[in-house]
Amino acid sequence: MQRSQWGSRLGFILASAGATVGLGSIWKFPYVTAMNGGGAFLLVFIALTFTLGLTLLLAEFAIGRHAKVGAVSAFKKLGGGAWPLIGYAGVLAGFLVLSFYSVVGGWTLGYLLRAFDGRVMTSDPAALAALFGQYVASPTEPLLTHAVFMALTLGVVMAGVKGGIERAGKVLMPALFTLMLVLMVRALTLPGAAAGVAEFLAPDFSKVSPAMLVDALGLAFFSLSVGAGCMLAYGSYLGDEIKLTGSALWITGLTTLTSILAGLMIFPAVAAFGLEAAAGPGLTYMTMPIVFNHLPFGQGFAIAFFALLLFAALTSSVSLLELIVVLPIDEWGFSRKQATLTVAALVFAAGVPASLSFGLLADYTLFGRNVFELMDYSASNILLPIGGIGTALFAGWKVWPAMRTELALSRRQQQAMRAMCCLIAPALIGLILAWNL
């Protein structure tokens, strides 16, 4: 059966950028940047993103296009031996991430509904904390929103590469950027916004430390969704006429720009009202609603913000589901419909204990972590770094002639990329792995 292909280079770039732009770009990157020296951290992050991150992104695209199959099948086809284990590690990481990510995607859906009915429109932090606590502890509503979010993801992936993933990317990514720009402009026009911009961007080189460098390394690595094989799967649908280097540069640039825009959207607004910024759910569900409550037409901005979060979550979840769905299609001959329905059902089931870990299963922990935290730690701190190291070594040592053919780089660029794949990237990702264990 002939493999599906992207309909256009623009569709591929938007879908891939959507895969890299997730909730972390909005709720984690701005906070980590501000806490690690602002502009100083940003310079280090950009440098690492356009070296380490770009190298791994190109490697995944090139391996995928050369093999014309997903992660596990690509390592089996091009490497054989034990190499497919790297693909399996990536697919397992994607499965774990999507299981709890769909729960969080459901939270954004639940809060979008709360923005519509006005329940989030309060300036009382205690009331917002109670609202969030009651919601995530409920044994029913988070499971319902988890199911709806998973169904949305399923619907996109089941429609195929061109009719589903590419079409969704062409709609969701422009919508995401438009909403982000509207919210950013509003934030920058608030009295006192300059203090937030300074907190986010002003360089503080005294914060440069080994811990800061590891944070920058981790964000550069994970912000481009490399390590699991998502980009390898997307690369397998690429035609030979699309130039990988230019496309990868566009994707890397869009991802970096989105993260910076998120900081310019959040920190000016938070600073304008003298609030404390926090990473994760604290920022999203308990801080930003206070900002919107102080604004004229604040409910409209709250709706736009949670819609933005939903779009960002959905574009990332689509790539994760596609990563997993490709395995039964390539290896066991499943149809896309069979594979998508089966995998989505399994992911939903695995997400149930992750959702309940804030309520009914809150007292059940292992190694001091609840189910949700354990899934996050296992995927992010162990499996994804292993996948990144394995992909880099595979590209640099095992299939370098194929990489050279696919990428069509100059001799100097080839030497730099091979050095990055063979030595530098594995060493740096190994540092992240060792630091986080």
Side-chain angles (χ1 to χ4, degrees):
M1 185 174 65
Q2 187 176 6
R3 194 165 187 81
S4 300
Q5 287 195 353
W6 301 104
S8 66
R9 180 171 179 259
L10 176 63
F12 161 64
I13 289 173
L14 288 176
S16 298
T20 63
V21 175
L23 293 173
S25 301
I26 297 168
W27 77 19
K28 184 177 182 181
F29 178 84
Y31 174 81
V32 173
T33 300
M35 297 302 105
N36 280 283
F41 179 88
L42 201 55
L43 290 172
V44 174
F45 167 77
I46 291 172
L48 290 170
T49 299
F50 280 88
T51 51
L52 171 68
L54 181 61
T55 296
L56 290 171
L57 184 63
L58 279 169
E60 288 206 18
F61 283 155
I63 292 168
R65 184 165 74 176
H66 195 76
K68 295 287 190 289
V69 284
V72 172
S73 301
F75 284 107
K76 182 183 293 185
K77 181 178 178 180
L78 302 180
W83 286 109
L85 293 176
I86 300 298
Y88 281 114
V91 171
L92 178 58
F95 182 89
L96 291 175
V97 170
L98 184 55
S99 297
F100 68 78
Y101 194 82
S102 178
V103 172
V104 180
W107 295 352
T108 68
L109 182 60
Y111 264 70
L112 178 59
L113 297 175
R114 283 161 170 74
F116 271 109
D117 67 22
R119 275 181 285 173
V120 299
M121 302 307 294
T122 175
S123 296
D124 183 357
L128 287 168
L131 181 69
F132 180 70
Q134 290 165 4
Y135 173 53
V136 298
S138 167
T140 54
E141 191 178 0
L143 290 180
L144 179 60
T145 53
H146 165 44
V148 173
F149 183 83
M150 199 65 241
L152 291 172
T153 307
L154 180 154
V156 173
V157 173
M158 189 183 292
V161 174
K162 189 183 297 186
I165 300 171
E166 183 172 348
R167 181 177 294 176
K170 286 181 175 179
V171 173
L172 292 175
M173 285 306 292
L176 188 150
F177 274 110
T178 300
L179 290 173
M180 188 171 279
L181 287 171
V182 168
L183 289 165
M184 184 191 74
V185 169
R186 184 66 188 97
L188 291 173
T189 57
L190 292 170
V197 175
E199 184 180 4
F200 178 55
L201 293 181
D204 181 358
F205 292 100
S206 69
K207 295 284 185 72
V208 177
S209 66
M212 179 266 233
L213 293 174
V214 171
D215 278 345
L217 270 171
L219 275 180
F221 176 57
F222 295 121
S223 68
L224 290 175
S225 294
V226 290
C230 295
M231 297 295 98
L232 194 157
Y234 276 18
S236 72
Y237 304 120
L238 277 170
D240 294 335
E241 74 283 357
I242 294 180
K243 294 182 179 179
L244 295 183
T245 306
S247 299
L249 281 168
W250 267 105
I251 294 161
T252 305
L254 286 172
T255 303
T256 306
L257 176 63
T258 304
S259 298
I260 295 171
L261 290 178
L264 293 174
M265 175 182 75
I266 287 168
F267 270 88
V270 169
F273 298 107
L275 301 172
E276 287 292 324
L283 169 70
T284 308
Y285 305 115
M286 289 174 272
T287 301
M288 292 304 289
I290 297 175
V291 172
F292 301 131
N293 197 55
H294 282 88
L295 295 177
F297 310 108
Q299 188 171 359
F301 286 110
I303 291 169
F305 177 73
F306 287 109
L308 182 154
L309 286 180
L310 181 62
F311 293 165
L314 189 57
T315 54
S316 291
S317 67
V318 163
S319 69
L320 288 165
L321 184 57
E322 179 65 18
L323 158 72
I324 310 163
V325 162
V326 169
L327 175 60
I329 291 175
D330 288 343
E331 289 292 304
W332 307 316
F334 278 45
S335 69
R336 175 166 287 270
K337 181 178 180 180
Q338 289 172 325
T340 309
L341 286 171
T342 303
V343 171
L346 292 172
V347 168
F348 172 77
V352 170
S355 178
L356 295 178
S357 61
F358 298 95
L360 293 177
L361 301 181
D363 295 331
Y364 293 87
T365 61
L366 185 64
F367 306 117
R369 295 180 174 88
N370 63 27
V371 176
F372 185 103
E373 293 163 343
L374 197 62
M375 293 169 78
D376 185 7
Y377 181 85
S378 301
S380 302
N381 292 26
I382 300 172
L383 292 171
L384 285 175
I386 288 173
I389 292 171
T391 300
L393 293 174
F394 187 72
W397 291 104
K398 185 66 177 176
V399 293
W400 179 249
M403 296 296 95
R404 192 168 53 209
T405 302
E406 290 289 342
L407 296 173
L409 301 172
S410 68
R411 182 178 293 274
R412 183 170 294 181
Q413 289 171 330
Q414 288 179 29
Q415 291 171 342
M417 180 164 177
R418 192 170 192 194
M420 183 68 77
C421 287
C422 291
L423 298 171
I424 301 171
L428 291 176
I429 300 168
L431 177 64
I432 300 172
L433 182 61
W435 188 276
N436 289 328
L437 287 178

